[in-house]
Amino acid sequence: MRITTQHSDRAFQILFYGLCVFYLVFYMPFGFEGTDTGYIFGSSWNVYNGEFPHRDFIYTRPAFPAYFHSIFLFISETYGYLLDRSFFYVQVFTYSLLAAKILADHFEIKQKTFLYFIASLGAIVSVHNYPPMGWNTIDGIFFCTLGLYFLLKPKLKPVQVLLGSLFLVLGVFSKQSFYFMPLFLFLYFLLRKDFKKLAWYSATGLCCLLLYLAFKYATGTLEPFFEQTFQRTGAGSLMNVGVKTYYLAVKFNLLYFSIGILLFIAAVKYLPKNIAYALSQLSIAVLFSIVYLNDSDNWSIVPYLLQLLLLITFGFALFKILIHKDRRFLLVILLLCLSWSASISNGYQTPIHFSLPVFFTLYLIVFSAEKRTSELDKLTLQPLTGGIVILAFLVTFYLGYQSIYRDAPRKDLNRDMGEVFPQLTFIKSDTEGFEKYSELKTLAIKYPNFTVIPSMTLAHYLTGTVNPIGTDWPLDVEINDEATLLEQQLKEKNTTILLENAPLTKEQRDGYELIDRIEQNWKLIDRTQFFDIYQPQ
């Protein structure tokens, strides 16, 4: 039977939503370690217990994610963490679809098969082999994309502009790197000469900003917010992670970068569009696969791939604007700027979390080789091409997920953590993790006024206790080098310290002044398999 357009559209729509469910079922249980995967949710547990970030505990980021993810605790204290992990996939698939709709509508691409294909591809790549968790970068992309979805509607409706401005402000206050997005959008409206929408956006955006700052002031968190967050937002840091890392990505891969571009240009010029597109995407999948197969500690290498792709797509969009005078590509630049903003980080410096604009633009490069991009519907993506590309990336990131972020290999994650804590039902860990959290459960009963150092970020949520110092991860950079202050607070509250005795590298150890202070100034009262137990002298 011949596959009609209607059949194809329906199949890719089902594929998109089916993939989201697939990730929820088969990937959500994996990726559980003591630092990042519980850091935001641990802060949300503090909020749930009546504490305010910045005022009651040190928090070096804008605090909206801590408030936002506490919603799941109000829904279910027991299963809030599971809901939060699951929502990670909902966020990524949602903002990928919204971004695809924004761009497809803007370029008048009416093919539903393409819409759900590119949204699926963007979501798969953005998830890659990242563990499911509440994270400020994901929140920033999610709310900024929601904001852009309403603000970029072709017809001006004040309610939509207000909603868009509100969501954009929430995105901005998810992480410092998104502070630039209001300015980027302002410039976009200015360059498009959409002065009426610019005026509405400026007015509603200012109102939403003032409302958020008023909330901070009313809760006594405004002044400490500025004091604690702006230590991490210097111009030097921006240059290092927002500019220098991209320069180094080109410098260290210049030969491969140049060869790749030449081969890509040749494919686009001489091969049929669908074949050229399939080969280009399969090449990217193969590059990812090589990284995953040859380097289990692939987190330092993965950023380069998307950094280089962002530079290629940004260059193409700029070329279309300056040479072909196609101002529609201003929107591509705007969304690529959101991808760039997501890459500004002390840790994971890559635009991969918002890959949709990159992969959408790669599609445009292939299918708009002619001068007029309006001919895109005449050069449609074939369903077979889309299916092959999706399958290739699913296989690629299946390989990636065999080596979970800061966790044991996936084949060893066979213990049900719900047997220790009901909050961790369905979550898998290895035998060591299972035994460690079992020991934590026992010690929390024996020493109810405790905290874990350096990092079991879900310890207090799981044991139903409140952290005496608020912060669950006293890494120097996460506490603005306030180890002395935190030690004093721990002493004043007569806290028992459960110091993890797993060996740290010298580099890791140098990041925790508080560990040194505990070992030097506190009394060791007991040792267990996983913890050294200290109390004040």
Side-chain angles (χ1 to χ4, degrees), residues 480-494:
N480 289 331
D481 298 313
E482 293 284 5
T484 303
L485 173 64
L486 293 187
E487 184 194 9
Q488 184 61 36
Q489 291 177 355
L490 290 168
K491 285 183 176 179
E492 290 173 354
K493 296 179 180 180
N494 197 31

Side-chain angles (χ1 to χ4, degrees), residues 187-442:
L187 293 174
Y188 173 77
F189 286 139
L190 192 64
L191 292 172
R192 295 278 299 180
K193 298 182 179 179
D194 193 346
F195 299 118
K196 189 175 181 180
K197 186 171 283 188
L198 176 62
W200 274 96
Y201 159 65
S202 299
T204 56
L206 182 60
C207 289
C208 292
L209 172 63
L210 292 175
L211 278 173
Y212 185 83
L213 294 178
F215 165 77
K216 300 290 289 181
Y217 178 79
T219 55
T221 60
L222 184 61
E223 185 176 345
F225 159 70
F226 287 118
E227 291 174 352
Q228 293 171 22
T229 61
F230 277 85
Q231 293 189 39
R232 294 184 60 155
T233 53
S237 298
L238 173 62
M239 288 300 295
N240 279 331
V241 300
V243 178
K244 186 178 178 180
T245 55
Y246 285 84
Y247 162 74
L248 293 176
V250 176
K251 178 182 177 181
F252 293 146
N253 301 278
L254 183 59
L255 178 61
Y256 306 113
F257 184 58
S258 302
I259 293 174
I261 290 178
L262 291 174
L263 290 174
F264 183 47
I265 292 172
V268 171
K269 185 173 182 180
Y270 296 110
L271 295 176
K273 302 304 178 190
N274 275 271
I275 294 177
Y277 181 72
L279 287 175
S280 66
Q281 300 309 294
L282 292 176
S283 298
I284 295 170
V286 168
L287 286 174
F288 270 110
S289 299
I290 291 172
V291 170
Y292 291 138
L293 290 172
N294 289 282
D295 186 0
S296 60
D297 186 22
N298 50 63
W299 298 91
S300 61
I301 301 173
V302 167
Y304 282 156
L305 300 179
L306 263 291
Q307 286 169 345
L308 293 172
L309 290 176
L310 187 141
L311 290 174
I312 291 171
T313 51
F314 187 89
F316 173 76
L318 204 58
F319 173 82
K320 297 292 283 187
I321 294 168
L322 299 177
I323 305 302
H324 288 174
K325 308 301 180 183
D326 193 339
R327 296 170 66 84
R328 291 175 301 171
F329 279 84
L330 286 170
L331 182 62
V332 173
I333 295 286
L334 177 64
L335 290 182
L336 288 173
C337 284
L338 179 53
S339 297
W340 173 77
S341 298
S343 74
I344 301 174
S345 170
N346 282 335
Y348 204 36
Q349 298 165 3
T350 171
I352 197 170
H353 283 313
F354 190 45
S355 64
L356 188 285
V358 170
F359 283 86
F360 186 97
T361 310
L362 290 173
Y363 175 87
L364 291 184
I365 294 175
V366 175
F367 283 90
S368 67
E370 289 76 7
K371 290 185 178 180
R372 292 302 304 165
T373 317
S374 58
E375 298 177 358
L376 277 166
D377 267 349
K378 300 176 183 178
L379 300 166
T380 54
L381 176 81
Q382 296 298 318
L384 179 61
T385 303
I388 290 171
V389 171
I390 293 295
L391 180 61
F393 278 94
L394 284 174
V395 171
T396 292
F397 295 120
Y398 170 79
L399 295 175
Y401 259 113
Q402 303 314 300
S403 177
I404 307 294
Y405 177 66
R406 289 182 175 174
D407 207 343
R410 181 167 174 169
K411 62 181 175 61
D412 296 331
L413 303 179
N414 51 22
R415 302 298 299 271
D416 183 4
M417 295 299 290
E419 295 178 16
V420 184
F421 291 106
Q423 300 97 314
L424 301 180
T425 300
F426 302 124
I427 293 177
K428 304 296 183 181
S429 187
D430 61 355
T431 298
E432 181 179 338
F434 184 91
E435 293 176 351
K436 184 175 184 178
Y437 278 84
S438 297
E439 190 171 279
L440 169 68
K441 186 175 184 178
T442 301

Side-chain angles (χ1 to χ4, degrees), residues 491-510:
K491 285 183 176 179
E492 290 173 354
K493 296 179 180 180
N494 197 31
T495 307
T496 298
I497 304 294
L498 309 183
L499 182 64
E500 296 176 84
N501 56 26
L504 299 175
T505 66
K506 184 180 184 304
E507 182 181 3
Q508 291 171 328
R509 182 66 182 246
D510 288 344

